[in-house]
């Protein structure tokens, strides 16, 4: 997953006020990441009308360990930046 995709996904979560809950849930469910990736593949067709192109970014983040970690880091950095202001 590319950095612009990660920043976009993290920014969208931040904009909706979901960065902290997403960070918590992603961190807690990190050991289940492979299973979550499979679930996203199965429910993807139902979520596509709601999430649109963001669904592809979520799929890529779940499939790639490094991207998953970078997404967590981006959300944590955004959260720290927000607390500093």
């Amino acid at each position: 997953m590319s950095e612009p995709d990660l920043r976009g996904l993290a920014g969208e979560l931040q904009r909706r006020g979901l960065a902290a809950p997403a960070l918590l849930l992603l961190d807690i469910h990190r050991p289940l990441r492979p299973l979550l990736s499979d679930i996203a593949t199965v429910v993807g067709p139902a979520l596509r009308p709601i999430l649109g192109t963001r669904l592809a970014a979520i799929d890529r983040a779940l499939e790639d360990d490094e991207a998953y970690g970078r997404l967590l880091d981006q959300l944590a950095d955004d959260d720290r930046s927000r607390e500093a202001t």
Side-chain angles (χ1 to χ4, degrees):
M1 179 174 215
S2 69
E3 283 302 316
D5 286 342
L6 285 172
R7 275 184 257 137
L9 182 56
E12 188 66 25
L13 288 168
Q14 184 72 32
R15 186 180 71 79
R16 294 174 186 251
L18 297 173
L23 179 61
L24 178 67
L25 289 173
L26 289 171
D27 196 31
I28 289 172
H29 291 95
R30 188 176 220 157
L32 300 175
R33 192 204 47 79
L35 179 61
L36 293 174
S37 177
D38 292 342
I39 290 171
T41 301
V42 171
V43 298
L47 295 176
R48 195 165 320 280
I50 299 167
L51 297 175
T53 58
R54 291 181 297 245
L55 184 61
I58 294 168
D59 279 340
R60 286 191 301 274
L62 288 172
E63 289 175 358
D64 182 2
D65 283 331
E66 187 177 317
Y68 194 86
R70 289 192 330 254
L71 178 59
L72 286 172
D73 292 342
Q74 182 71 41
L75 288 171
D77 289 346
D78 289 349
D79 193 42
R80 274 182 247 138
S81 298
R82 186 174 172 199
E83 287 176 1
T85 59

